[in-house]
């Protein structure tokens, strides 16, 4: 290969690399909805207590892919389905599950104290960490993520109210960036796929 | 009379050609995105008391053609698009892989819900004609 050909080859390789970087330095193909560009996920406000220890902060899981869920333990359908799906996703991931952390924050602090949330989550997967706190603190956390929650009075009176709440799952990458949002109803395979993709990101 | 007949035949042939094309030509799109944008100044307009609706209550998508919802926030403040909080200058792309009806919480709508109906790609000639017609109607409305 003569000098001119070598120069042209080097030039084309450099141009290709630059183009690849310009298009997307971190190409991902998720089943979830993707934010572009990703931005740092909002830190939790002080006063959200964790079911395992101390305050619940996002910084604790730097280096892991965090799946953030808002729900309540009296939820009849959405929460059990979501948590069972996430537990199944962890099984599918095998040893890679160590890179995934499910965080479940209640929208019903009136009934969900720490012990109750802890016992509830243990029924799905002992690695799941829950959070609860004073209503204004939890409302502020939901505001930061655009999540919603609303009390539904019992149809026939009584004390057994329901809660309408966001059913999507927030996916935060290992560097603490809010990457994606998975709508309710996706399979464990989809979650495992996305966690693998996010784990592979630099 | 002869010219009149010839014109009629030409028109009929042209119409047949258009319908034939609409029924049998493969469907293609430039992008699979179905975009919705919050323009700059939306927040200010809302603060001024104007009603600004970006997302319709129902969105129709078609698998393999326009099956990615793309939400762009061009405003200067975070905006809630249905269930998604999108930061200024940020976009959110949600792909769909299964034909179904999806309901999302959406405080912007009186019902509190936004519905996305994802249909299978048209297969029969009639379905292709209907899809093209709807696409044309949407483009002319925009």
């Amino acid at each position: 290969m003569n000098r001119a050909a070598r120069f042209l080859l080097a030039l084309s390789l450099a141009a290709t690399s630059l183009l690849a970087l310009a298009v997307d330095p971190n190409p991902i193909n998720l089943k979830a909805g993707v934010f572009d560009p990703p931005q740092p996920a909002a830190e939790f406000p002080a006063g959200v207590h964790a079911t395992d220890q101390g305050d619940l902060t996002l910084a604790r899981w730097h280096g892991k892919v965090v799946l953030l869920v808002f729900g309540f333990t009296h939820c009849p359908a959405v929460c059990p389905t979501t948590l069972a799906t996430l537990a199944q996703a962890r099984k599918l991931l095998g040893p890679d599950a160590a890179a995934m952390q499910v965080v479940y924050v209640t929208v019903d602090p009136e009934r969900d104290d720490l012990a109750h949330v802890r016992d509830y989550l243990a029924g799905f997967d002992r690695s799941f960490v829950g959070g609860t706190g004073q209503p204004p603190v939890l409302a502020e956390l939901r505001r930061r993520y655009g999540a919603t929650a609303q009390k539904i009075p019992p149809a026939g009176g009584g004390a057994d109210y329901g809660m309408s709440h966001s059913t999507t799952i927030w996916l935060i990458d290992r560097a603490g960036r809010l990457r994606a949002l998975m709508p309710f109803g996706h399979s464990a395979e989809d979650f495992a796929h996305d966690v693998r993709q996010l784990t592979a990101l630099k | 009379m002869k010219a009149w007949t010839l014109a009629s035949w030409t028109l009929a042939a042209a119409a047949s050609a258009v319908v034939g094309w609409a029924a049998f030509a493969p469907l293609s799109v430039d992008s699979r995105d179905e975009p919705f944008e919050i323009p700059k100044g939306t927040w200010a307009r809302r603060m001024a008391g104007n009603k600004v609706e970006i997302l319709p209550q129902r969105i129709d998508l078609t698998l393999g053609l326009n099956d990615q919802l793309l939400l762009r926030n061009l405003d200067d403040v975070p905006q809630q698009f249905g269930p998604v909080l999108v930061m200024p200058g940020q976009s959110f792309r949600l792909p769909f892989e299964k034909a179904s009806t999806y309901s999302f919480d959406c405080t912007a709508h009186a019902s509190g819900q936004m519905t996305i109906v994802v249909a299978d790609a048209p297969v029969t000639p009639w379905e292709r004609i209907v899809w093209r017609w709807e696409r044309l109607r949407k483009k002319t409305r925009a």
Side-chain angles (χ1 to χ4, degrees):
Chain A
M1 194 184 287
N2 62 30
R3 280 179 65 182
R6 276 204 301 268
F7 175 74
L8 279 174
L9 182 65
L11 195 66
S12 65
L13 279 173
T16 308
S17 308
L18 278 174
L19 188 66
L21 280 173
V23 170
D24 191 349
N26 250 335
I28 49 172
N29 181 22
L30 301 185
K31 304 289 183 185
V34 176
F35 290 102
D36 181 32
Q39 295 190 2
E43 183 50 278
F44 295 0
V48 183
H49 308 300
T51 50
D52 58 345
Q53 54 172 8
D55 271 1
L56 194 62
T57 64
L58 201 55
R60 273 179 59 185
W61 289 293
H62 197 84
K64 285 191 174 193
V65 174
V66 174
L67 286 81
L68 175 62
V69 184
F70 292 94
F72 68 117
T73 63
H74 287 68
C75 182
V78 171
C79 291
T81 304
T82 298
L83 293 170
T85 303
L86 295 177
Q88 178 64 22
R90 273 182 56 81
K91 289 195 180 101
L92 291 173
L93 285 166
D96 296 338
M100 163 184 169
Q101 179 62 54
V102 171
V103 177
Y104 178 84
V105 179
T106 185
V107 297
D108 183 19
E110 207 174 303
R111 290 182 294 197
D112 287 345
D113 59 21
L114 278 178
H116 197 72
V117 177
R118 187 184 303 120
D119 291 347
Y120 178 71
L121 291 178
F124 296 96
D125 189 305
R126 292 200 171 273
S127 76
F128 291 0
V129 172
T132 188
Q134 291 298 312
V137 173
L138 299 181
E140 170 58 19
L141 174 58
R142 291 196 298 274
R143 189 193 66 76
R144 291 182 187 185
Y145 282 87
T148 58
Q150 199 174 4
K151 206 171 188 174
I152 304 169
D160 199 16
Y161 59 86
M163 295 293 296
S164 159
H165 63 90
S166 297
T167 58
T168 42
I169 296 100
W170 283 255
L171 276 66
I172 299 162
D173 72 15
R174 295 190 302 155
R177 291 169 298 203
L178 178 56
R179 279 280 179 176
L181 202 57
M182 186 79 92
F184 173 72
H186 276 261
S187 65
E189 286 78 8
D190 287 351
F191 279 101
H193 169 273
D194 283 7
V195 169
R196 280 202 182 96
Q197 291 259 322
L198 292 173
T199 305
L201 288 176
K202 299 289 176 216
Chain B
M1 186 67 186
K2 207 170 178 183
W4 189 233
T5 308
L6 184 64
S8 303
W9 276 109
T10 308
L11 202 63
S16 301
V18 170
V19 171
W21 169 82
F24 295 104
L27 297 171
S28 66
V29 287
D30 296 334
S31 163
R32 290 168 72 167
D33 292 337
E34 187 70 22
F36 294 91
E37 289 183 347
I38 287 202
K40 202 174 174 68
T42 297
W43 181 79
R45 289 210 302 281
R46 280 192 178 130
M47 287 297 103
N50 297 322
K51 194 178 178 198
V52 184
E53 288 223 356
I54 306 295
L55 286 174
Q57 192 158 345
R58 173 183 161 137
I59 296 170
D60 287 280
L61 302 178
T62 308
L63 283 182
L65 293 165
N66 62 325
D67 53 7
Q68 296 185 148
L69 185 68
L70 176 62
L71 309 174
R72 282 197 198 100
N73 180 8
L74 305 179
D75 207 355
D76 301 322
V77 297
Q79 294 277 1
Q80 190 88 27
F81 265 111
V84 190
L85 183 66
V86 186
M87 295 299 155
Q90 196 179 41
S91 68
F92 178 75
R93 181 177 276 106
L94 179 60
F96 291 88
E97 294 183 342
K98 284 180 194 153
S100 187
T101 298
Y102 300 84
S103 291
F104 295 98
D105 307 324
C106 185
T107 51
H109 295 120
S111 67
Q113 293 275 305
M114 181 181 80
T115 304
I116 298 178
V117 180
V118 182
D120 281 316
V123 177
T124 65
W126 176 246
E127 286 171 345
R128 284 199 198 101
I129 291 172
V130 171
W131 187 85
R132 284 197 161 99
W133 172 248
E134 290 297 331
R135 195 81 178 162
L136 187 66
R137 270 196 347 155
K138 200 185 281 182
K139 274 187 179 167
T140 50
R141 271 204 307 259

